[in-house]
Amino acid sequence: MLVLGIESTCDETSASIVEDGKKVLSNIISSQVNEHLRWKGVVPELASRLHLEKIIPVIDEAVKESKVKLEDIDLFAAANRPGLIGGLLIGVSAAKSLAWKLNKPFIGINHIEAHLYSPHLENDIKFPYIGLLASGGHTLLIRAESFVKYEVLGTTIDDAVGEAFDKVAKYFDLGYPGGPSVEKSALSGDEKAFDFPIANLYKSERIYDMSYSGLKTAVIHHLKKFQKKESYTINDIAASFQKRAFDVLIKKVILACTNLNIKNIIVAGGVAANKYLREQFYKLEGYNIFFPSLKYSTDNGAMIAGFAFHKYKETGSDDLSVGVSSRVPGYKSSL
Ligand code: KG4
Ligand code: ZN
């Protein structure tokens, strides 16, 4: 089965053709990083205009590179939630139009579920597993039963981990996009230079929840309070922040694995591109740990097309009247 998957939830316009959920025939990504650079963050209106400009050339290129004919595609899929509304509308409209014109089914895909599918593109992973999704908008801990059946164990109660990276990078002018620039700066820093606090959400039903706004505030507004060395560099701040941010993620994943007696772990989402995070996870003994390769960590169409294959098998297609949504209920806890 050939699936064309479209991703346009944030600042990447991507289209990909994947065969049977696994064989990636093409994965074209047009990044808007250079256009948002001036603003040091994603400007939603600008993002929408760029998606509109790029969507057709990106789809054309994906079809061309895959060497399949557009008419031979069996299913058209697009991320329809969560994300920036303008981008979602453009990707979904493109997929629906193709499905309608070619008389093929359409399916709307949850971007977060697609991220969690990304390690499956290149690995055979047994269920159940504990999944950690760490991106710019979400931080989610799940227990997966099958490709489509999962339970949300915990979420961030405020900022997402990627958002904290982006804000720290912006404040200290480390570069844009934030995550990779903090990672780079941290490479030559001392992670023990600051002893930043982490939120202690270990009570009753909140044991798997996470919080990043306190850490972000400590780093940005109360730096001196947590200083452990006489003098420090910006790289020390980045390294200490990065360590603390990831300590929490690892701790919660292990807590879930221990309590639920699960040995398989997958980590996905843009933050999973971080090599330091990968190293920390790979150091853990007694677990099977799966990350997507770098090209499938940040937003891409292949994860949409790959996941759509399984979702379609379980639930069938969507009506062309299906809409888009900026949020998914239950993906962000609030106190
Ligand atoms: O999944 P993604 O591409 O888009 C969303 O769905 O949000 O994730 C983007 C997020 C951004 O916050 C970005 O700073 C972060 O992932 N990120 C990283 C790294 N690469 C991207 N965070 C830490 N280290 C990285 N190397
Ligand atoms: Zn994403």
Side-chain angles (χ1 to χ4, degrees), residues 9-12 111-112 115 134-138 161-163 165-166 177-181 183 242 246 269-275 297-299 303:
T9 58
C10 190
D11 59 346
E12 261 102 25
H111 172 83
I112 301 298
H115 265 304
S135 73
H138 294 84
V161 59
E163 195 179 344
F165 270 77
D166 295 336
S181 61
E183 178 177 13
Q242 180 175 259
F246 291 160
V271 180
N274 188 292
K275 293 193 192 69
S297 293
T298 45
D299 293 346
M303 66 184 192

Side-chain angles (χ1 to χ4, degrees), residues 32-88:
Q32 305 177 355
V33 165
N34 290 336
E35 283 85 354
H36 295 292
L37 187 66
R38 220 180 122 192
W39 316 99
K40 297 183 189 165
V42 178
V43 182
E45 177 57 25
L46 185 56
S48 304
R49 290 176 198 201
L50 292 164
H51 283 305
L52 197 54
E53 217 172 86
K54 296 286 180 197
I55 191 81
I56 292 175
V58 163
I59 294 173
D60 272 346
E61 209 179 322
V63 173
K64 209 163 140 198
E65 195 177 298
S66 71
K67 302 207 161 49
V68 302
K69 289 204 213 78
L70 194 58
E71 305 80 70
D72 294 336
I73 289 168
D74 301 297
L75 173 67
F76 291 90
N80 73 336
R81 65 198 189 281
L84 299 172
I85 288 292
L88 292 173

